Amino acid sequence: MRARPMTPDAVVHHLVQQIGARPTGRLRVAVDGHPGADPGRLADALVDPLRAAGRPVVRVHAHDFLRPASVRLQHGRHDPDAYFEDWVDHGALAREVLDPLAAAGDGRYLPTLWDADRDRATRAAYERAPDGAVLVLDGALLLGRWLDLDLTVHLALRPDTRRRRTPPEEAWTLPAYDRYDAETQPEDVADIVVRLDDPRRPALVVER
C-alpha cells in the first residue's frame, strides 16, 4: 500500500474532482469512517465546493436512520455485535434515500427517519432532489451492507488510533470496528481511501 500525504483542503479538492468526473446525473457518495475520523466533517466540507461547481447537494447522516432502541439494545446497551449488525436500518436507508436518488429514481427521498435521542420517528417530510444532485452520506460501518452507492470513501485509522480517539464510555464499540476491518476489509472495498491517523496530514492511498 502506498499513500500520498496531502493537506485536508487538497483531500476535499481531490474528492470534488472525482465526483465531477462522474456522469452528470444523480450521484450517491458515502463517506465512511470511525467517529474518531469524523466522516461528517469531511462530508460537510464537500458541500460548498460541489455547489460552487454547479451540483446540487443532498446531505444525509446515517445516524438519522438508526433502528428503535428496542431493536438496537435488545442484547444490552454495550453489545459490539449488535452495534455492528443492528444499529443502522440499512434497509430503510436504501428504500428511503439511496433507491430514490439513483439515476433512474424519482428523486423523492426522506432526509431523516429516526430521532435516537427521543427514540421516535422524526416525521420528516419527503423532499425531492433535482436532476444532477449529489447525495453526500456520512456514517460508520457503511461498507459491505449491499448499499447501492456510486462512490465510496473510507477514512482509515489504525486500531491504536481508534482506541486513542474513542471516549472511555464508548470503548465497548471498538470490537465492532475490529470486526469491520476483518470481515468487510473497508480499505480494500472502498473506491477511495484516506488515512487519517494524523488529521493535519491526511494521506490518500494511491496504490493497494
Side-chain angles (χ1 to χ4, degrees):
M1 181 177 294
R2 187 165 62 88
R4 184 172 74 239
M6 306 178 78
T7 66
D9 287 345
V11 170
V12 172
H13 179 71
H14 176 78
L15 295 179
V16 170
Q17 283 189 319
Q18 292 297 307
I19 293 168
R22 299 292 177 116
T24 56
R26 293 194 195 98
L27 192 70
R28 298 157 301 174
V29 178
V31 182
D32 167 74
H34 179 274
D38 203 353
R41 181 177 183 180
L42 177 57
D44 286 342
L46 296 174
V47 174
D48 286 344
L50 286 170
R51 287 176 175 162
R55 300 295 295 267
V57 177
V58 170
R59 196 59 186 90
V60 173
H61 308 276
H63 185 78
D64 291 329
F65 286 80
L66 294 184
R67 298 181 188 275
S70 60
V71 178
R72 297 197 316 273
L73 307 179
Q74 61 181 325
H75 298 295
R77 292 185 174 274
H78 302 116
D79 187 308
D81 289 324
Y83 180 74
F84 181 82
E85 297 169 359
D86 298 329
W87 275 46
V88 175
D89 190 339
H90 298 101
L93 189 58
R95 181 180 66 252
E96 304 291 359
V97 181
L98 299 178
D99 293 346
L101 295 182
D106 64 7
R108 184 175 179 267
Y109 73 98
L110 192 65
T112 65
L113 176 67
W114 198 257
D115 183 332
D117 293 332
R118 298 183 178 183
D119 198 33
R120 67 184 188 187
T122 61
R123 302 184 185 276
Y126 283 87
E127 299 181 14
R128 190 171 298 275
D131 293 339
V134 177
L135 165 70
V136 181
L137 168 71
D138 75 279
L141 309 171
L142 291 177
L143 305 182
R145 308 292 184 173
W146 303 102
L147 295 175
D148 193 5
L149 295 158
D150 301 303
L151 184 68
T152 55
V153 181
H154 176 65
L155 306 183
L157 299 178
R158 292 192 299 267
D160 60 333
T161 306
R162 284 200 298 262
R163 286 192 293 274
R164 288 198 306 271
R165 294 190 192 169
T166 300
E169 64 273 17
E170 296 176 10
W172 65 271
T173 66
L174 287 169
Y177 291 96
D178 294 337
R179 180 179 169 187
Y180 189 51
D181 284 349
E183 296 184 9
T184 305
Q185 299 180 328
E187 294 191 50
D188 293 331
V189 302
D191 296 309
I192 298 172
V193 176
V194 180
R195 300 211 59 86
L196 271 178
D197 293 296
D198 182 348
R200 298 164 301 178
R201 289 180 55 80
L204 177 70
V205 175
V206 294
E207 185 177 315
R208 287 180 260 179

